[in-house]
Amino acid sequence: MRIVLVGPPGAGKGTQAAFLAKNLSIPHISTGDLFRANISQGTELGKRAKSYMDAGNLVPDEVTIGMARDRMAQADAEGGFLLDGFPRNVGQAEALDGMLRGEGVALDAVLDLEVPEDEVVKRIAGRRVCRNSSAHVYHVVYTPPKAEGVCDECGGELYQRDDDSEETVRKRLEVYHTQTEPIIDYYKAQGLVVTISALGKVAEVTARAMEALQVDEAAQG
Ligand code: ADP
Ligand code: AMP
């Protein structure tokens, strides 16, 4: 399956992507993770992206689209993928359509995670992410790790993202409303959008997502 996850920062995209990707046997592709990996490796791309990310702005399309294209061209994404954080504006959505058309394939669904803004703010304030992957994500109150500061899954160090400060979160929410939300209408016009509430326990949201995607969980890997 080829799926796009959309929703405000802190909605639980990375959290859900980890379970959905496993259930559906497709890679989880997060452009935010790709940028953070580039930053920690000190690449030129990472250096270009960092100032935009720290300010809560989108990294320019000319950097982002090429990076996403390269990742989607890897062998593990040939049969499908779960995109998390890409596309994030209509220009990126059009570029993605062009890429898929060139391959003779198409998206199956756009899963829209709905969460009220006050909950998103609480989720982001307590978020702790593993240095190894943002699919290993915790919340100091809602889903704490067994040992403080240590990832249950891989033993990696948990940290608070630089862009999870209150001020940057406000900016990221504004960017979401003005630049990213329009892609929902763009995809509605293609009949691809399924909207679910992302409130409730993580497992409840996963079950809701699997149902909305009309996938029989038992039949999947
Ligand atoms: P996104 O990828 O959309 O920015 P994350 O998956 O990183 O969001 O989740 C944001 C924060 O909310 C994390 O701290 C995560 O542990 C927490 N979280 C995710 N889903 C839920 C949920 N259903 N209930 C409570 N907290 C959640
Ligand atoms: P995320 O991990 O998805 O919350 O993304 C963190 C930050 O990375 C965003 O606030 C943006 O600065 C940048 N970013 C991630 N994905 C994209 C994208 N598709 N387009 C532009 N910037 C992005």
Side-chain angles (χ1 to χ4, degrees):
M1 284 185 96
R2 292 179 180 80
I3 302 169
V4 167
L5 270 182
V6 68
K13 298 183 296 297
T15 303
Q16 291 306 322
F19 293 102
L20 295 173
K22 198 164 164 228
N23 285 345
L24 301 168
S25 304
I26 48 177
H28 166 204
I29 299 180
S30 154
T31 40
D33 277 358
L34 293 172
F35 284 131
R36 282 183 288 275
N38 273 278
I39 290 171
S40 61
Q41 287 156 18
T43 69
E44 279 309 310
L45 189 150
K47 283 178 199 152
R48 277 198 75 184
K50 190 170 183 341
S51 58
Y52 296 97
M53 293 172 74
D54 286 348
N57 285 315
L58 296 188
V59 179
D61 287 356
E62 80 240 28
V63 180
T64 307
I65 292 170
M67 180 184 74
R69 180 186 284 121
D70 289 350
R71 176 63 188 87
M72 279 186 277
Q74 287 175 23
D76 65 338
E78 212 172 292
F81 47 70
L82 182 59
L83 291 178
D84 161 10
F86 181 87
R88 239 178 170 101
N89 60 29
V90 171
Q92 292 180 11
E94 287 168 348
L96 175 61
D97 272 353
M99 284 179 224
L100 297 177
R101 219 176 297 121
E103 298 291 320
V105 296
L107 291 176
D108 294 288
V110 173
L111 184 66
D112 169 29
L113 300 184
E114 247 183 14
V115 191
E117 200 136 308
D118 57 344
E119 175 65 15
V120 155
V121 169
K122 282 188 218 156
R123 287 186 181 184
I124 293 184
R127 168 158 61 188
R128 297 293 182 273
V129 191
C130 177
R131 292 257 175 227
N132 298 330
S133 165
S134 77
H136 302 168
V137 58
Y138 301 84
H139 189 283
V140 289
V141 178
Y142 301 143
T143 53
K146 292 194 183 91
E148 199 185 319
V150 183
C151 179
D152 291 352
E153 303 226 15
C154 69
E157 182 200 355
L158 302 182
Y159 75 106
Q160 185 163 26
R161 279 170 44 174
D162 290 345
D163 60 349
D164 277 353
S165 68
E166 201 184 319
E167 193 192 338
T168 311
V169 167
R170 230 176 291 126
K171 176 67 185 169
R172 285 161 61 206
L173 284 168
E174 180 201 317
V175 167
Y176 177 74
H177 292 309
T178 56
Q179 300 189 50
T180 306
E181 254 177 0
I183 73 171
I184 298 177
D185 279 339
Y186 175 89
Y187 285 126
K188 273 188 181 159
Q190 299 183 21
L192 287 171
V193 177
V194 279
T195 300
I196 62 163
S197 163
L199 286 176
K201 293 207 175 81
V202 171
E204 288 167 1
V205 180
T206 308
R208 223 175 274 149
M210 294 294 280
E211 200 187 330
L213 294 169
Q214 294 179 310
V215 208
D216 177 2
E217 206 160 346
Q220 298 293 324

